[in-house]
């Protein structure tokens, strides 16, 4: 037994036993701050107030928010009085720090102004993001050429990239003059002009623009067609004219006979700026391929915030964030050619016409060079930007959080997060399968691979329905991402507002309204406690995933959703993505795939590809030889330029060696391991005798309605370590409960049910051990229901007397009218009496119909003393509630109901005789906003908002808002973004609609 083997055994045992060391029931019932969800806290374009900061943070603390990340943005609102990083801004920033400390709220900051990515006014053009740029001139020889070659205009992307609209692109780019004069030459080539260019129809390989690094490929597909000889630039015909051109671009050259193209190739700033940033923080994006540039940016931006404390050793900021990468492309930096040669072993200059869209040598050769080119861009961006940020954070005792992916940036996303302490993804409200859910599995995989405890998520981001998000309607979506590995929610977003008008400041059109100015904010405690309990449990241990999925080493490379994976992974088995670095670190113990974090897997899947570098195949071969079971299709091509780094002969030699022997079942075997490629994953797992980790009997009949995300209606996640296993099970159906026999791949342990809604811990009522050793548990999940099934104690047989069946024996209706009052911060409707509960959005009185805020329902009900007996329960059933409620019985709060079914056991608080019941219900802002659309405007609007989102924002904050006066036109609401769809929008159901009753149950 070798030392490395022993090390991994010890490491795994240590990880397994250490992760649950602090697992406490009391922490589940009442989670500490580390388990609480957090918010992204946006200061909007200089509209900041000291008292409002205090009020914001106190409201966060009061409802159960554990911390925040500060953003400084300018999204769709006019400029306010406090300029970014002015003396006034620093005073408010210092106040924020101290208030966070006082309230014990964790404070993080976005690394710079805006949300993408890292830039500012201190970034000079030479330190900005760079791109390859060129000009070309066609000449016909023989002739003597004595003239100047033009240079490209600066900031080419203003017309070419992003939104492809110069007006909108002003948000993304600095004015051209700011980057004029920073072009630098790389090389000047001359070559016979391809035939298509002579005819005005230039020839290109497929997707040449993305392959040259000017945009991000969604997936790399090699162009295999043969280019016509007349369209190929042959390297032996290329003439290097660099030495014949002076520093001013003047070229002297004796042109040979024929038609020639002169290509002046250089690099210059892309001109991209950070966005959407306030004026004092807006400037060029920093060079992401240069560690020295990133160090410069750190000093000018983040370090200025850290210096606020002076000599004080007191720490305020704990975390630095890099949001998703939205800074456009970059495909060059100073000395990129030197770095390329060091990494790939050859000089790239002769291939640079390929960056300008030409075919050099052949289609095959051009594709191979461009693969190498993008690989170097990716490696440099990861090392010099993400890794460098991590190093700076760690040097300053800070946590580095990042969404290490984006629609731009030519990175292998599976490697971008390797040094991120808190990897994160994002999802948008009700975005479905075509949204951003694949980023979550990326983030959780990074955490599992590199032993990160937390997996963050920018959650419930929105665009257009800001005021319609509420806890009930988003619960299943939140639970879905718990099952994908998330355990730290960052709500998007809490927008700061120094004014006293409601609902007030938003992030333009973006985000959900998670702040103290929302109608239901003070009632969100129950939902936030639910999330904190879930996050506490899911922050424990290691994730039990059976499959490790190696995505390859293409660049760029992005995660795809489970539904699109090839080969498909069946339900009941979970997986992690992995990168080359982790692949190189794997150890095989008893056919188990063990990585340094302590996580172990049973099957390695290699994404199907015919291309592979020999070093990757060599690693895979060694793993198979040591005993790994691997899904691997035989590669027969290398992706990059043929040299000692990427040798096709070596690849084929390795392939011949690995695929040389079959077993009796027809599978290739190599050493102790086995190679699969002709059967599906379900069959592979069956051959391996690996039962599903979680499944249900009659699973195909569980789903009764369409769910937001595809699947069978159930989702799960399994965490393990120390002396316990945790499963989180979610019913993804909003309108149907499910009763299931769930099967868990657990042996000889007692199933406990931990209810995150109530904090109750009970032994499952019905369970058994089945013949294959697994535990069967009867689970009853209400609509949008969820539960933790915990295994930590020795198995004991289920006793029939444990099964408690409650039967409904009666119901008690409310016979008195309901007294209904209103409690908002603006003019309230008069008190009304309701013989029957109705939807307030249908009420004849418009002040009631358009009301948004808290509605208070008061009634009494008589309970005959003879009914209050042992083994009898009284369940308050509120029926339909829109959208969240708090129940009081005889003057005492019994808690908050925030999801269907709106039921509450009130048995212990009932008294014989009359009982007073008060139900406070918060509806949503939409109805008041709709009502105000019928009143005259009280604001001035403009399309010139500085936002790329279509719509209108304010030209200025109205004087009546600044002076805290009533609207001059009688409106009751104030927003900073115009929502035209509201005028004709149907009102949302509102209030306690019922029918309400008390259900009597007896055991």
């Amino acid at each position: 037994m070798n030392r490395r083997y022993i090390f991994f055994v010890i490491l795994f045992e240590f990880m397994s036993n250490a992760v649950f060391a602090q697992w406490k029931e009391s922490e589940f019932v009442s989670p500490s701050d580390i388990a609480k969800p957090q918010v992204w806290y946006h200061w909007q374009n200089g509209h900041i107030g000291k008292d409002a900061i205090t009020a914001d943070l106190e409201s966060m603390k009061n409802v159960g928010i554990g911390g925040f990340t500060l953003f400084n943005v300018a999204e769709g609102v006019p400029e306010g009085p406090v300029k970014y990083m002015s003396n006034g801004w620093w005073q408010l920033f210092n106040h924020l720090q101290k208030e966070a400390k006082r309230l014990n709220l964790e404070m993080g900051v976005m690394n710079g102004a805006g949300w993408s990515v890292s830039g500012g006014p201190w970034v000079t053009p030479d330190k900005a993001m760079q791109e390859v740029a060129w000009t070309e001139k066609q000449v016909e020889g023989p002739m003597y050429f004595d003239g100047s070659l033009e240079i490209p205009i600066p900031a080419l992307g203003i017309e070419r990239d992003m939104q492809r609209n110069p007006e909108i692109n002003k948000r993304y780019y600095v004015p051209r003059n700011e980057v004029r004069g920073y072009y630098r030459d790389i090389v000047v080539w001359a070559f016979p002009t391809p035939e298509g260019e002579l005819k005005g129809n230039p020839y290109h390989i497929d997707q040449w623009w993305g392959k040259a690094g000017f945009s991000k490929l969604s997936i790399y597909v090699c162009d295999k067609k043969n280019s016509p000889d007349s369209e190929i630039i042959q390297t032996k015909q290329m003439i290097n004219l660099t030495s014949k051109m002076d520093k001013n671009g003047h070229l002297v050259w004796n042109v040979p006979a024929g038609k020639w193209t002169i290509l002046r190739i250089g690099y210059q700033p892309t001109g991209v700026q950070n966005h959407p940033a306030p004026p004092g923080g807006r400037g060029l994006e920093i060079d992401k391929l240069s560690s020295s540039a990133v160090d410069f940016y750190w000093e000018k931006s983040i370090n200025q915030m850290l210096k606020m404390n002076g000599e004080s050793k007191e720490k305020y900021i704990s975390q630095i964030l890099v949001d998703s990468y939205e800074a456009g492309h970059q495909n060059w930096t100073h000395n990129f050619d030197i770095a390329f040669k060091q990494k790939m072993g050859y000089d790239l200059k002769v291939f640079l016409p390929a960056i300008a869209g030409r075919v050099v040598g052949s289609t095959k050769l051009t594709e191979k060079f461009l693969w190498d080119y993008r690989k170097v861009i990716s490696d440099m961006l990861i090392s010099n930007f993400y890794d460098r940020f991590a190093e700076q954070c760690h040097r300053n005792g800070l946590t580095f959080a990042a969404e290490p992916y984006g629609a731009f940036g030519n990175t292998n996303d599976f490697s971008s997060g390797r040094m991120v302490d808190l990897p994160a993804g994002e999802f948008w409200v009700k975005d479905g399968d075509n949204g951003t859910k694949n980023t979550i599995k990326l983030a959780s995989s990074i955490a599992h691979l590199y032993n990160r405890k937390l997996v963050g998520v920018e959650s419930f981001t929105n665009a257009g329905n800001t005021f319609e998000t509420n806890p009930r309607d988003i619960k299943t979506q939140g639970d879905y991402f718990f099952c994908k590995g998330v355990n730290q929610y960052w709500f998007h977003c809490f927008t700061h507002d120094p004014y006293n008008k409601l609902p007030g400041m938003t992030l333009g059109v973006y985000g959900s309204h998670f702040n103290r100015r929302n109608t239901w904010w003070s009632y969100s405690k129950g939902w936030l406690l639910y999330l904190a309990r879930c996050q506490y449990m899911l922050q424990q241990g290691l994730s039990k995933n059976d499959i490790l999925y190696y995505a390859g080493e293409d660049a760029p490379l992005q995660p795809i959703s489970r539904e699109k994976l090839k080969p498909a992974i069946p339900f009941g088995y979970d997986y992690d993505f992995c990168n080359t670095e982790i692949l190189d670190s794997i150890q095989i113990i008893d056919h188990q795939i063990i990585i340094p974090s302590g996580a172990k897997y049973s099957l390695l899947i290699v994404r199907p590809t015919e291309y592979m570098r020999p070093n990757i195949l060599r690693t895979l071969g060694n793993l198979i030889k040591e005993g790994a079971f691997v899904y691997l299709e035989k590669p027969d091509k290398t992706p990059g330029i043929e040299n000692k780094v990427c040798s096709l002969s070596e690849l084929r030699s390795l392939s011949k060696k690995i695929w040389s022997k079959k077993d009796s079942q027809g599978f290739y075997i190599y050493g102790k391991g086995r190679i699969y490629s002709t059967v599906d994953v379900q069959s592979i797992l069956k051959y391996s005798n690996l039962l599903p980790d979680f499944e249900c009997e009659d699973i195909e009949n569980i789903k009764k309605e369409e769910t937001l995300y595809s699947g069978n209606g159930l989702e799960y996640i399994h965490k393990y370590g120390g002396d316990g296993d945790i499963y989180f099970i979610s019913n993804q159906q909003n309108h149907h409960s499910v009763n299931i026999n769930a099967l868990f791949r657990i042996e000889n342990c007692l199933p406990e049910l931990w209810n995150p809604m109530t904090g109750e811990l009970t032994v499952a009522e019905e369970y058994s051990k089945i013949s294959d050793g697994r535990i069967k548990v009867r689970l009853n999940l209400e609509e949008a229901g969820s539960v933790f099934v915990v295994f930590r104690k020795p198995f004991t047989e289920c006793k029939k007397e444990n099964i408690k069946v409650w039967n409904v024996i009666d119901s008690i209706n409310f016979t008195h009218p309901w007294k209904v009052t209103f409690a908002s911060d603006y003019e309230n409707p008069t008190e009304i009496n309701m013989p029957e509960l109705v939807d307030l959005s249908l009420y004849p009185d418009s002040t009631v119909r358009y009301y948004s805020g808290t509605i208070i329902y008061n009634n009494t009900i008589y309970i005959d003393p003879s009914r209050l007996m042992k083994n009898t329960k009284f369940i308050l059933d509120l029926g339909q509630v829109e959208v969240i409620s708090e129940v009081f019985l005889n003057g005492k709060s019994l808690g908050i109901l925030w999801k269907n079914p709106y039921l509450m056991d009130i048995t212990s608080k009932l008294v014989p005789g009359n009982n007073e019941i008060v139900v406070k219900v918060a509806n949503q802002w939409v109805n008041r906003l709709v009502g105000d659309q019928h009143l005259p405007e009280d604001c001035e609007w403009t399309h010139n908002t500085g936002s790329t989102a279509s719509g209108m924002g304010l030209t200025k904050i109205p004087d009546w808002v600044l002076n805290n006066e009533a609207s001059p036109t009688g409106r009751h609401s104030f927003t900073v973004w115009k929502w035209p769809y509201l005028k004709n929008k149907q009102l949302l159901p509102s209030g306690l609609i019922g029918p309400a009753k008390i259900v009597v149950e007896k055991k």
Side-chain angles (χ1 to χ4, degrees):
M1 183 178 292
N2 63 52
R3 292 181 179 180
R4 199 171 182 190
Y5 177 95
I6 296 171
F7 166 76
F8 264 81
V9 172
I10 295 172
L11 172 66
F12 177 72
E13 290 300 320
F14 170 78
M15 292 300 304
S16 297
N17 287 289
V19 286
F20 276 83
Q22 301 300 316
W23 188 26
K24 298 177 181 177
E25 295 178 7
S26 59
E27 282 287 312
F28 170 73
V29 176
S30 300
S32 56
D33 289 342
I34 192 174
K36 294 177 180 178
Q38 300 189 5
V39 297
W40 279 7
Y41 183 42
H42 289 80
W43 286 2
Q44 264 276 51
N45 208 4
H47 297 279
I48 317 169
K50 183 177 180 180
D51 291 343
I53 290 171
T54 296
D56 286 347
L57 268 59
E58 288 180 344
S59 77
M60 293 179 199
K61 187 69 175 181
N62 183 53
V63 297
I65 295 294
F68 62 88
T69 298
L70 176 68
F71 283 71
N72 284 270
V73 296
E75 178 53 44
V77 297
E79 188 175 354
V82 185
K83 186 175 181 179
Y84 182 67
M85 285 194 171
S86 65
N87 288 336
W89 186 91
W90 283 116
Q91 290 173 9
L92 292 167
F93 182 82
N94 191 41
H95 175 69
L96 174 70
Q97 290 189 121
K98 291 182 177 178
E99 288 294 84
K101 192 78 171 180
R102 176 177 69 87
L103 295 166
N104 196 31
L105 292 170
E106 183 180 15
M107 177 177 173
V109 294
M110 174 60 183
N111 73 88
W115 60 58
S116 184
V117 173
S118 304
W122 46 81
V123 179
T124 52
D126 59 305
K127 293 182 175 63
M129 294 173 65
Q130 308 289 319
E131 67 177 340
V132 175
W134 62 90
T135 58
E136 50 194 76
K137 189 176 187 67
Q138 291 187 0
V139 296
E140 186 171 358
M143 69 169 289
Y144 180 75
F145 182 86
D146 185 349
S148 294
L149 302 179
E150 294 180 349
I151 63 173
I153 61 172
L156 289 162
I158 289 177
E159 288 84 14
R160 183 190 67 193
D161 298 334
M162 298 296 195
Q163 299 289 336
R164 294 179 175 82
N165 181 320
E167 283 303 310
I168 294 179
N169 275 353
K170 288 178 180 178
R171 174 193 182 189
Y172 294 113
Y173 291 87
V174 300
R176 279 205 163 97
N177 286 339
E178 292 189 21
V179 289
R180 192 179 300 277
Y182 285 88
Y183 169 85
R184 300 291 182 268
D185 281 306
I186 303 171
V187 69
V188 180
W189 286 111
F191 48 82
T193 304
E195 185 177 296
E197 295 179 37
L198 292 173
K199 297 178 179 179
N201 184 27
Y203 179 88
H204 303 294
I205 65 169
D206 293 343
Q207 296 183 295
W208 78 270
W209 187 250
K211 290 174 180 177
F214 290 104
S215 65
K216 188 167 188 176
L217 296 169
S218 58
I219 188 168
Y220 169 63
V221 178
C222 183
D223 187 345
K224 296 181 181 180
K225 65 178 179 289
N226 291 321
S227 301
D229 291 343
S230 60
E231 303 295 350
I232 297 172
I233 300 171
Q234 299 296 345
T235 56
K236 62 184 179 182
Q237 295 179 305
M238 295 172 64
I239 301 173
N240 191 331
L241 301 180
T242 308
S243 63
K244 298 181 182 297
M245 186 185 73
D246 66 19
K247 63 180 181 180
N248 297 315
H250 189 84
L251 175 70
V252 176
W253 177 42
N254 283 310
V255 183
K259 296 179 180 180
W260 293 81
T261 294
I262 303 171
L263 200 61
R264 183 181 184 181
I265 305 173
Y267 66 98
Q268 64 184 18
T270 66
V272 169
Q273 65 181 352
N274 56 324
H275 64 270
R282 190 181 305 153
L284 288 164
E285 280 280 347
I286 199 69
D287 186 342
K288 309 299 188 296
L289 306 186
S290 167
S291 59
S292 61
V294 170
D295 289 345
F296 170 83
Y297 175 81
W298 179 278
E299 174 58 34
K300 295 294 184 180
S301 179
I302 300 164
N303 209 37
Q304 301 306 305
M305 299 180 192
L306 302 180
K307 287 179 179 178
M308 274 294 295
N309 302 333
E311 298 300 319
S312 171
K313 293 184 179 180
E314 191 161 21
K315 183 179 177 181
Y316 295 101
I317 299 171
S318 65
Q319 179 176 287
I320 302 298
L321 173 71
V322 171
D323 201 347
S324 58
Y325 193 100
E326 299 171 28
H329 66 273
Q330 177 175 1
N331 60 8
W332 200 266
T333 190
H334 179 64
N335 288 334
F336 179 87
D337 50 339
I338 296 173
F340 183 94
K341 188 170 185 178
Q342 290 172 343
K343 289 176 178 289
M344 290 300 172
Y346 65 94
D347 193 330
L348 85 168
K349 288 190 179 71
V350 72
F351 293 103
L352 284 181
I355 307 300
R358 272 66 176 199
V359 179
V360 180
S362 66
T363 301
K364 181 178 179 181
L365 192 64
T366 300
E367 284 278 12
K368 284 177 172 289
F369 161 69
L370 292 174
W371 191 94
D372 288 343
Y373 180 65
R374 295 189 306 276
K375 179 77 167 61
V376 173
I377 293 171
S378 175
D379 290 349
M380 291 183 69
L381 198 155
I382 293 168
S383 295
N384 296 324
F385 181 63
Y386 288 108
D387 291 359
R388 194 66 165 193
F389 250 97
E391 291 165 7
Q392 288 283 16
C393 284
H394 300 161
R395 190 175 295 129
N396 288 276
L398 300 167
T399 296
F400 179 38
E403 295 177 350
Y405 58 85
F408 305 94
N410 281 284
T411 58
N412 180 329
D413 293 347
F414 299 96
S415 293
S416 297
R418 65 190 182 191
M419 287 187 65
V420 175
D421 302 308
L422 205 171
E426 67 182 278
F427 67 87
W428 294 54
V429 171
K430 299 182 180 179
D431 60 357
D433 283 334
N434 294 322
T436 57
K437 71 174 189 176
N438 52 325
T439 67
I440 310 299
K441 199 61 177 177
L442 171 70
S444 64
S445 293
I446 292 169
H448 303 158
L449 298 179
Y450 292 98
N451 196 26
R452 312 297 193 232
K453 179 178 181 179
L454 300 181
V455 179
V457 63
E458 171 194 345
S459 57
F460 306 109
T461 306
N462 211 330
N465 297 310
T466 293
F467 301 104
E468 297 185 39
T469 306
N470 65 81
R472 177 196 65 199
D473 292 347
I474 59 178
K475 181 183 184 293
T476 53
Q477 188 176 22
D479 289 350
Y480 179 89
F481 289 108
F482 278 144
C483 293
K484 304 308 166 190
V486 163
N487 58 23
Q488 178 62 76
Y489 273 90
W490 297 324
F491 296 135
H492 188 285
C493 58
F494 191 123
T495 310
H496 174 74
D497 189 334
Y499 312 113
N500 294 312
K501 300 301 177 183
L502 305 176
M505 196 77 69
T506 59
L507 195 62
V509 72
Y510 297 111
S512 294
H513 209 52
F514 292 116
N515 60 58
R516 63 186 172 90
R517 302 181 309 282
N518 203 332
T519 50
W520 49 260
W521 179 255
S522 62
Y523 300 93
S524 64
K525 295 178 182 179
W527 173 52
L528 296 174
L529 178 57
Y530 165 81
L531 294 177
R533 285 172 177 153
C534 290
Q535 291 190 168
Y536 171 73
M537 296 295 281
L538 296 173
Q539 287 172 9
Q540 310 305 313
L542 300 171
S543 288
K544 181 56 181 175
N545 295 335
D546 292 310
I547 297 168
L548 192 61
Y549 191 102
Y550 176 61
E553 57 171 355
D554 290 346
L557 193 60
Q558 304 178 71
I560 58 176
S561 62
R562 182 178 186 133
E563 297 75 31
K564 297 178 182 179
L565 287 179
K566 294 181 180 179
I569 297 175
F571 181 77
Y573 303 91
D574 211 341
Y575 66 99
D576 281 323
F577 290 117
C578 91
N579 56 31
T580 302
E581 181 180 70
I582 293 298
L583 195 70
D584 288 338
S585 70
I586 289 172
Q587 289 290 296
I588 307 300
I589 302 175
D590 297 330
H591 298 293
Q592 291 290 295
I593 298 162
I594 315 292
I595 64 175
S597 70
K600 60 179 181 178
Y601 307 86
S602 297
L603 175 67
L604 173 64
I605 294 177
V606 178
R607 180 174 63 91
T609 177
E610 57 186 329
Y611 298 90
M612 188 174 290
R613 294 205 295 179
N615 62 302
I616 303 299
L617 185 57
R618 189 183 310 113
T619 297
L620 291 169
N622 289 337
L623 295 177
I624 298 165
K625 190 174 182 179
E626 292 171 10
F629 296 152
V630 180
Y631 181 98
L632 175 63
E633 295 184 1
K634 187 177 181 179
D636 63 354
K637 299 179 181 68
T638 53
I641 293 285
E642 176 82 9
N643 60 12
K644 63 181 181 180
V645 177
C646 194
S647 167
L648 179 59
S649 60
E650 183 183 358
L651 180 83
R652 289 177 173 171
S653 175
L654 285 168
S655 294
K656 185 177 181 180
K657 185 177 180 181
I658 295 169
W659 277 270
S660 62
K661 184 179 180 181
K662 291 184 177 181
D663 65 10
S664 58
Q665 294 177 305
F667 299 118
Y668 282 100
I669 54 174
Y670 181 56
K672 300 176 184 177
R674 184 179 294 152
I675 306 166
Y676 300 97
S677 61
T678 59
V679 293
D680 58 41
V681 175
Q682 182 80 62
S683 299
I684 296 171
L685 297 168
K686 185 177 181 180
Y687 292 138
S688 303
N689 296 316
L690 186 67
L691 294 167
D693 186 34
F694 170 78
E695 65 175 333
C696 299
E697 295 178 348
D698 201 27
I699 187 71
E700 64 274 7
N701 294 319
I702 288 175
K703 191 172 181 179
K704 304 296 184 184
E705 65 182 76
E706 284 301 311
T707 52
L708 179 60
Y709 299 107
S710 56
N712 56 34
L714 287 176
E715 295 292 337
Y716 82 98
I717 188 172
H718 178 188
K719 305 296 290 284
Y720 74 102
D723 60 354
D725 286 76
I726 297 171
Y727 288 80
F728 178 69
I729 313 297
S730 165
N731 174 17
Q732 286 287 294
Q733 300 175 94
N734 288 310
H735 306 292
H736 290 85
S737 60
V738 295
N739 299 309
I740 58 174
N741 287 321
L743 306 177
F744 298 90
R745 197 174 67 206
I746 297 291
E747 295 183 355
N748 298 317
C749 285
L750 183 72
E752 299 175 68
L753 306 183
W754 292 31
N755 187 338
M757 289 288 294
T758 64
E760 292 178 293
L761 287 69
T762 61
V763 174
E765 291 185 357
E766 294 184 62
Y767 62 90
S768 62
K769 188 188 301 184
I770 63 176
S771 59
D772 59 22
R774 289 182 293 174
I775 305 296
K776 182 197 295 190
V777 183
R778 184 70 175 173
L779 296 178
N780 302 309
L781 297 174
E782 61 193 19
E783 51 264 46
S786 55
V787 68
F788 286 96
V789 184
V790 176
F791 298 92
R792 57 176 180 153
K793 298 177 181 178
F795 182 86
T796 57
E797 293 294 336
C798 180
K799 299 178 181 179
K800 289 185 178 181
E801 55 265 31
N802 290 343
I803 301 174
K804 302 171 184 177
V805 179
W806 292 88
N807 296 307
V808 176
I809 60 171
D810 197 5
S811 64
I812 305 171
N813 296 318
F814 290 89
T815 57
H816 300 291
W818 291 85
K819 183 176 76 172
V820 183
T821 56
F822 303 85
S824 74
D825 291 333
Y826 58 88
E827 182 180 355
N828 290 305
T830 57
E831 178 182 313
I832 57 178
N833 286 293
M834 286 186 176
E836 300 288 339
L837 293 169
V838 297
D839 178 355
L840 295 186
S841 73
L842 304 176
Y843 205 76
D845 184 345
S846 63
T847 64
V848 174
R849 192 164 64 249
Y850 294 136
Y851 176 82
S852 293
T854 293
I855 309 134
I856 305 171
Y857 295 80
N858 191 296
N859 212 325
T860 58
I861 196 162
Y862 181 81
I863 301 297
D864 191 311
S866 64
R867 289 177 176 256
L868 298 174
M869 60 184 71
K870 188 177 180 181
N871 293 328
T872 303
K873 287 197 302 189
F874 294 80
I875 308 297
L876 175 64
D877 181 353
L878 294 180
Q880 184 178 352
V881 176
E882 300 293 337
V883 290
I884 193 167
S885 63
E886 184 174 10
V887 177
F888 296 81
L889 181 60
N890 299 321
K892 295 182 179 180
S893 174
L894 300 188
I896 293 168
L897 296 174
W898 56 272
K899 66 168 289 292
N900 288 315
Y902 290 85
L903 304 176
M904 180 176 286
D905 187 342
I906 61 173
T907 309
S908 63
K909 302 300 181 183
L910 284 172
V911 297
N914 286 326
N915 288 262
E916 182 188 26
I917 291 182
V918 175
V919 182
K920 293 183 177 181
V921 177
N923 64 359
Q924 301 184 83
W925 265 117
V926 171
N927 291 358
R928 182 65 267 163
L929 294 169
V930 170
D932 281 358
Q933 301 301 306
H934 301 289
L935 298 173
E937 287 284 2
D938 54 12
C939 298
E940 296 178 10
W941 303 97
T942 178
H943 285 286
N944 186 23
T945 64
S947 173
T948 58
S950 60
M952 300 179 74
L954 293 174
T955 58
K956 64 174 185 176
I957 303 295
D959 289 340
W960 62 269
V961 172
L962 296 174
N963 298 326
N964 197 23
E965 298 170 348
S967 164
T969 66
R971 290 191 172 204
H972 295 298
S973 61
F974 166 70
T975 63
V976 296
W977 192 263
K978 191 173 180 64
W979 308 90
Y981 80 97
L982 288 172
K983 190 160 190 176
N984 299 313
K985 182 176 176 59
Q986 183 175 347
L987 296 178
L988 299 181
S990 172
L992 176 59
I993 299 174
K997 60 186 176 182
I998 294 176
V999 177
V1000 185
E1001 296 181 353
K1002 193 171 182 63
K1003 184 169 67 172

